[in-house]
Amino acid sequence: MRRSLLATLLLAALVLPACLPRATTRPPPPSLTSVADALFESVESEGTLASVFMVDAATGAPLYARHEHVRLLPASTMKVVSTSAALSAFGPDFRFHTPVRLEGTQLGNLFLGDLVVEASGDPSLGSWRFPETAMACEQLAEALHARGIRQWHGAVRVSNADEGPYGLFGPGWAWDDAAYAYSAAPTPFVFRENVVDLSLERPEGQDCTSQPRRPVVVRYTPAFDAPPTVVYFDPNAQRPGLGCVRERSTGRIRCVWRSTAEQCPRKASMRVAIDEPQVLFTSCLQEALAVRGIWRVPTAPQTASVPAVTTSEPLLEFVSPSLAELVKVTNKESLNLYAERLGLRFTRERMGTESYPALRDAMAQELTRRGISTRLLRAADGSGLSRYNVATARGLVGVIYTSLKEPYATALLESLPIAGVDGTLASTAVSNGTRGFIRAKTGTLSGQKAYVGIAERPNDPEHPRVVFALMLGNIDEQPSLTANQVFERFAEAMVSLPLR
């Protein structure tokens, strides 16, 4: 009897589970790792190269890695390297000082001689971006007026302005980039960011379907001795716009003014780079002098009454905004000229000279100091325009991570654009939960896109802040996901998802 009962119980135990309904298998919840793996597998299936690295901002512990040693073009993320190097050498409070002196003789209200500006490499002199730099010509004219000078026979000279044997542009810059305002030459003397405003105006009553019967009005602001400007018209463009470049062979400005059947604007404008900032500075000063009633003749009279002995006296000193402010506009707005000047000024501080070969050596030494191998990151210029720059996601993360350990960390961090808020990330389509939690520098060249920065993880007490770099190369012209969409999805995962 007992054996029969035991056998029945055992049989029931075996049969019962088969009779119960089976539990439904649920997919695991999404994590940063699973979402990122699927995202990058998708873009790699189209032939795009993806290099990604993410570490804890406090400890440096790796949290996500994918092809992090692959070398790609960093583009404008190289600005993080040059600005952090400048901050490490000079500190956030550093300011450029550009002295101006009078060399000659003052006879009553007449000054016979030259006004000499000592080039300091300040990229902001005369810039419209800062109140203290925008009025440089007016300040100088006022200083001359305050000395009682009402007539000036002489010239403007700039000392220490020789760009050396390496020319006006960086190594590996594309020839068709060099014609545009975003690659204005990083000369030792910079004025108004080495650009002018060019505006065109069609004759009254002239339509867009034919060449104007009367000349187009061409204006440069500030006014200066501009090169010849040739305007071509494209009445069948897909969208209206104006494009102007400097022809390297002739020096003239060549513009193409595009219009459509629906849109035929009478006016158009843009910025154009110039190669001789001293000429622009002289013209600007001439206007300011005229406002104050100071008459200038470019050359001093050669007469016996001119004293043979001249003196050199300081007149004033232009002082730039702080380096922290310069770094902020450099990275927020991705200003190539500022990045080049800061990189070259850092090079002069470390190597005693300004040249691109010296910049490469100075940056290599700085990266070695931080424990970053040149196999991971190699700088050829300061802005990222050079196609000779080489970087990996691991190397770029190393720059941010080591910078967070140094006294200038706050200045560099505050210079990075905030996703969905400002700078080059202002238009990024991030979710409300991500907005304000990503600070990153972007970089773009043909077929290349890079992002490097910091992400806050408010729901992760173990890793509340991470440093990341995302580099995409060999991007198709019409990918399933644009580079910005890839970044936006990765950014949201960094902020909101658990690591695993």
Side-chain angles (χ1 to χ4, degrees):
M1 187 70 177
R2 290 181 178 177
R3 289 180 180 177
S4 177
L5 178 61
L6 181 59
T8 301
L9 292 174
L10 288 173
L11 181 62
L14 292 173
V15 173
L16 186 60
C19 297
L20 295 174
R22 292 186 178 181
T24 303
T25 302
R26 295 182 179 179
S31 66
L32 184 148
T33 300
S34 64
V35 169
D37 283 345
L39 177 64
F40 298 127
E41 285 170 6
S42 172
V43 299
E44 287 170 353
S45 69
E46 297 182 329
T48 296
L49 298 172
S51 177
V52 194
F53 196 50
M54 187 179 79
V55 303
D56 183 278
T59 66
L63 302 178
Y64 182 83
R66 187 180 185 89
H67 309 315
E68 71 274 21
H69 290 94
V70 169
R71 300 184 187 97
L72 294 169
L73 293 179
S76 281
T77 60
M78 185 56 68
K79 293 179 176 67
V80 175
V81 182
S82 55
T83 55
S84 67
L87 285 167
S88 71
F90 305 112
D93 297 328
F94 170 83
R95 296 174 188 268
F96 287 90
H97 291 256
T98 305
V100 182
R101 65 182 186 273
L102 295 174
E103 287 191 355
T105 301
Q106 183 171 347
L107 302 174
N109 66 0
L110 171 65
F111 175 69
L112 301 171
D114 293 340
L115 188 148
V116 182
V117 183
E118 185 176 336
S120 66
D122 177 9
S124 69
L125 182 61
S127 172
W128 59 91
R129 299 180 194 276
F130 308 98
E132 59 266 52
T133 63
M135 305 297 290
C137 295
E138 289 77 7
Q139 292 170 5
L140 193 51
E142 184 59 36
L144 290 169
H145 190 273
R147 290 179 66 101
I149 296 174
R150 300 296 181 267
Q151 296 184 61
W152 170 25
H153 292 246
V156 175
R157 289 193 290 115
V158 178
S159 63
N160 302 327
D162 182 14
E163 67 271 10
Y166 302 101
L168 297 173
F169 302 101
W173 288 16
W175 68 269
D176 47 353
D177 281 345
Y180 292 92
Y182 62 74
S183 62
T187 50
F189 176 71
V190 175
F191 183 72
R192 204 179 181 272
E193 301 185 8
N194 290 356
V195 298
V196 294
D197 293 308
L198 168 62
S199 65
L200 303 180
E201 183 175 351
R202 272 181 225 275
E204 190 71 38
Q206 178 66 50
D207 61 29
C208 292
T209 60
S210 60
Q211 293 288 335
R213 296 181 297 275
R214 288 174 290 158
V216 171
V217 177
V218 179
R219 292 189 180 91
Y220 286 94
T221 307
F224 77 114
D225 187 12
T229 303
V230 180
V231 183
Y232 299 93
F233 296 89
D234 180 3
N236 302 310
Q238 294 183 346
R239 55 185 179 181
L242 174 65
C244 299
V245 299
R246 297 188 323 280
E247 293 181 344
R248 306 306 303 173
S249 57
T250 66
R252 69 180 183 175
I253 303 293
R254 175 170 49 85
C255 296
V256 177
W257 194 349
R258 300 178 298 276
S259 57
T260 67
E262 295 78 21
Q263 299 185 61
C264 179
R266 285 197 62 235
K267 297 180 180 180
S269 62
M270 66 173 295
R271 287 198 171 105
V272 179
I274 60 165
D275 289 345
E276 298 181 342
Q278 180 177 338
V279 174
L280 180 59
F281 175 69
T282 301
S283 297
C284 175
L285 178 59
Q286 186 90 5
E287 288 187 8
L289 291 173
V291 170
R292 283 159 180 78
I294 300 176
W295 176 58
R296 173 177 173 259
V297 175
T299 57
Q302 300 297 318
T303 65
S305 61
V306 177
V309 179
T310 61
T311 60
S312 178
E313 298 183 29
L315 179 61
L316 60 72
E317 188 173 67
F318 295 119
V319 181
S320 77
S322 69
L323 182 56
E325 294 177 81
L326 298 180
V327 166
K328 181 176 288 188
V329 298
T330 300
N331 287 330
K332 292 278 189 188
E333 302 181 43
S334 203
L335 301 181
N336 294 319
L337 176 68
Y338 282 60
E340 293 297 342
R341 286 310 320 161
L342 295 181
L344 289 167
R345 181 63 182 86
F346 165 79
T347 300
R348 174 149 57 96
E349 180 71 13
R350 293 295 169 86
M351 310 299 290
T353 186
E354 285 191 8
S355 71
Y356 281 103
L359 181 146
R360 177 170 173 162
D361 293 341
M363 291 297 181
Q365 292 178 10
E366 174 66 12
L367 293 171
T368 300
R369 179 185 74 83
R370 300 174 184 225
I372 302 171
S373 166
T374 53
R375 290 183 177 274
L376 298 176
L377 181 57
R378 185 177 69 243
D381 70 359
S383 67
L385 281 174
S386 175
R387 273 66 173 177
Y388 297 158
N389 291 311
V390 173
T392 64
R394 181 179 282 271
L396 290 174
V397 163
V399 173
I400 296 283
Y401 174 73
T402 54
S403 295
L404 292 177
K405 309 297 181 184
E406 303 211 2
Y408 62 82
T410 299
L412 184 65
L413 184 63
E414 292 181 349
S415 75
L416 300 178
I418 304 173
V421 176
D422 65 11
T424 54
L425 289 181
S427 60
T428 302
V430 294
S431 65
N432 289 333
T434 307
R435 190 183 310 275
F437 288 100
I438 299 282
R439 289 179 177 267
K441 181 72 194 78
T442 61
T444 305
L445 285 174
S446 300
Q448 310 281 325
K449 191 78 176 183
Y451 309 84
V452 57
I454 291 174
E456 307 291 344
R457 293 172 53 80
N459 300 320
D460 187 352
E462 186 178 0
H463 305 292
R465 173 183 280 185
V466 297
V467 180
F468 71 91
L470 164 60
M471 305 184 73
L472 301 172
N474 199 32
I475 301 172
D476 192 357
E477 291 184 358
Q478 294 181 324
S480 300
L481 291 174
T482 67
N484 284 343
Q485 289 172 328
V486 173
F487 170 68
E488 288 157 11
R489 296 187 183 189
F490 183 60
E492 187 167 355
M494 281 193 294
V495 171
S496 59
L497 295 181
L499 292 176
R500 293 173 180 83

